[in-house]
Amino acid sequence: MNRIRKGDQVVVTTGNKKIKGQTGEVLRVDGERVYVANLNLVKRHTKPNPQAGQPGGVIEREASIHISNVMLLNPATGKGERVSTKVLENGTRLRVFRSSGEAI
């Protein structure tokens, strides 16, 4: 079970000055890497593709960040916190914050 999923609010813990400490929503999780909305933006030079309806030019989009460099944002404290899993009696897994034990 991944500790970070699509749609989670995360805070970037390490990286360059532009993205460290920033928060955002996870757009997708790709193995060990995550894409966070409006963070770690890169410029990509693309050719036009008329079949797909894509114009050419310089497109700005999100680059991936390693999953170890982000932490789940606790809305109660406003800080990034560690996450663990708790197995319920019926066998389902539940993500909880380690500090408070509160379910996510």
Side-chain angles (χ1 to χ4, degrees), residues 81-101:
E81 295 192 13
R82 295 186 299 167
V83 177
S84 66
T85 57
K86 183 184 283 189
V87 180
L88 300 178
E89 293 176 1
N90 59 2
T92 59
R93 291 174 181 246
L94 183 67
R95 294 184 302 163
V96 295
F97 289 114
R98 288 214 180 172
S99 61
S100 61

Side-chain angles (χ1 to χ4, degrees), residues 50-72:
Q51 292 176 340
Q54 288 182 334
V58 180
I59 298 172
E60 200 169 35
R61 65 179 188 182
E62 292 88 2
S64 64
I65 304 171
H66 196 270
I67 203 164
S68 67
N69 296 335
V70 296
M71 291 181 89
L72 205 58

Side-chain angles (χ1 to χ4, degrees), residues 7-73:
D8 286 344
Q9 289 290 325
V10 294
V11 60
V12 179
T13 56
T14 59
N16 61 22
K17 292 178 185 177
K18 293 180 183 178
I19 65 169
K20 183 177 178 179
Q22 299 288 321
T23 61
E25 183 180 348
V26 174
L27 298 175
R28 66 181 169 138
V29 179
D30 210 12
E32 291 284 312
R33 305 196 70 84
V34 295
Y35 293 83
V36 183
N38 299 322
L39 288 181
N40 203 23
L41 296 173
V42 293
K43 293 184 188 292
R44 171 121 174 121
H45 295 61
T46 59
K47 287 185 176 180
N49 186 352
Q51 292 176 340
Q54 288 182 334
V58 180
I59 298 172
E60 200 169 35
R61 65 179 188 182
E62 292 88 2
S64 64
I65 304 171
H66 196 270
I67 203 164
S68 67
N69 296 335
V70 296
M71 291 181 89
L72 205 58
L73 183 71

